[in-house]
Amino acid sequence: MNANTLDEAMALTKKFTTKPSNEELLKLYGLYKQATEGDNKGETPGGFDFVAAAKHNAWLNNIGKSKEEAQQQYISFVNSISTKYI
């Protein structure tokens, strides 16, 4: 089962029967945010909110990518890991 659009890829992740690794989840998050919102212009979360900081950094890893490029990378990544989790 392969996704061809961002919506199909998102739907495919909801069919995962086990949770992807933290690294995979962060990559998915960063690519999705870049694909839907563009470059991260928010401030770095402070304090001890490690989850928010990790998500912020995952999104920053994609800075400069066009929304279309990030969308294609998100779809490809979902397709590549879907066999492990469905």
Side-chain angles (χ1 to χ4, degrees):
M1 179 180 294
N2 277 340
N4 295 311
T5 67
L6 188 62
D7 289 338
E8 288 176 5
M10 284 182 46
L12 190 55
T13 64
K14 295 188 186 327
K15 295 179 181 179
F16 289 0
T17 56
T18 55
K19 185 178 175 181
S21 71
N22 286 338
E23 293 84 18
E24 290 166 329
L25 289 171
L26 286 170
K27 182 172 181 175
L28 287 169
Y29 177 84
L31 286 169
Y32 180 79
K33 293 295 276 186
Q34 189 71 21
T36 57
E37 297 184 32
D39 286 345
N40 183 347
K41 296 187 183 353
E43 292 184 25
T44 303
F48 292 98
D49 194 345
F50 301 116
V51 173
K55 286 180 169 183
H56 180 81
N57 289 334
W59 188 1
L60 282 178
N61 287 338
N62 295 290
I63 201 161
K65 286 183 187 169
S66 69
K67 288 183 177 183
E68 295 77 19
E69 182 182 6
Q71 182 175 334
Q72 286 304 317
Q73 288 181 5
Y74 179 87
I75 294 165
S76 294
F77 187 60
V78 169
N79 286 335
S80 73
I81 65 170
S82 66
T83 57
K84 288 197 295 189
Y85 300 112
I86 292 182

